[in-house]
């Protein structure tokens, strides 16, 4: 397990009040595969809070991906929905949990808010 992934999961409880504002409630298991081994993370989400565990248990949704791909997600070098659509990862269960969880991932490096870019362009035209 990479240090980036470990830090990502450790940071979730502190970031949850800012990310989980909507009515999300459920448990998602994230299975990270490396060779013949699979690491399991369980996140219990509710509005404004998240609990993270390494213990398997009942889950409303399961997301299966490789450790390598997850490292790219936590560093902003990949996008969660794109990985599912390209069959690089698989998801089953309550899709609302997946859509809420993906908001914890960072934007790609050097990404800027399009409104800021538009303001800069408008300022240059004056």
């Amino acid at each position: 397990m990479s240090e980036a992934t470990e830090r990502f999961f450790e940071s979730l409880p502190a970031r949850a009040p800012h990310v989980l504002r909507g009515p999300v409630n459920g448990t998602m298991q994230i299975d990270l595969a490396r060779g013949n081994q699979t690491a399991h993370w369980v996140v219990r989400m509710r509005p404004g809070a998240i609990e993270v565990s390494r213990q398997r248990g009942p889950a409303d949704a399961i997301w299966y991906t490789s450790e390598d791909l997850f490292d790219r997600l936590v560093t902003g070098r990949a996008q969660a929905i794109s990985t599912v659509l390209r069959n690089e990862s698989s998801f089953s269960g309550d899709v609302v949990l997946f859509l809420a969880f993906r908001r914890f991932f960072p934007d790609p490096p050097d990404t800027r808010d399009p409104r800021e870019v538009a303001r800069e362009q408008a300022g240059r035209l004056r």
Side-chain angles (χ1 to χ4, degrees):
M1 186 82 38
S2 79
E3 187 176 328
T5 294
E6 293 279 348
R7 281 192 315 236
F8 173 79
F9 280 109
E10 289 171 5
S11 76
L12 294 179
R15 296 172 51 214
H18 304 289
V19 176
L20 295 177
R21 294 184 184 156
V24 61
N25 194 2
T27 303
M28 185 167 74
Q29 179 176 305
I30 301 165
D31 292 340
L32 305 178
R34 174 187 274 175
N36 296 345
Q37 298 179 345
T38 302
H40 306 282
W41 293 87
V42 175
V43 293
R44 166 95 169 91
M45 294 180 269
R46 60 184 190 280
I50 195 167
E51 298 168 16
V52 179
S53 168
R54 297 294 302 266
Q55 309 229 336
R56 292 176 71 180
D60 301 304
I62 299 174
W63 184 17
Y64 183 82
T65 188
S66 69
E67 280 187 15
D68 222 20
L69 179 55
F70 201 80
D71 284 343
R72 292 194 345 252
L73 290 164
V74 301
T75 57
R77 295 176 293 144
Q79 298 297 309
I81 291 178
S82 298
T83 68
V84 173
L85 293 175
R86 289 191 304 261
N87 290 324
E88 295 174 331
S89 66
S90 63
F91 180 83
S92 64
D94 187 349
V95 73
V96 171
L97 297 175
F98 176 74
L99 295 174
F101 186 77
R102 74 182 173 96
R103 295 178 51 213
F104 283 99
F105 294 119
D107 292 327
D110 299 325
T111 299
R112 297 182 53 205
D113 186 327
R115 293 170 293 190
E116 290 177 22
V117 174
R119 284 185 203 112
E120 288 175 8
Q121 294 297 324
R124 290 183 191 152
L125 296 175
R126 291 182 191 173

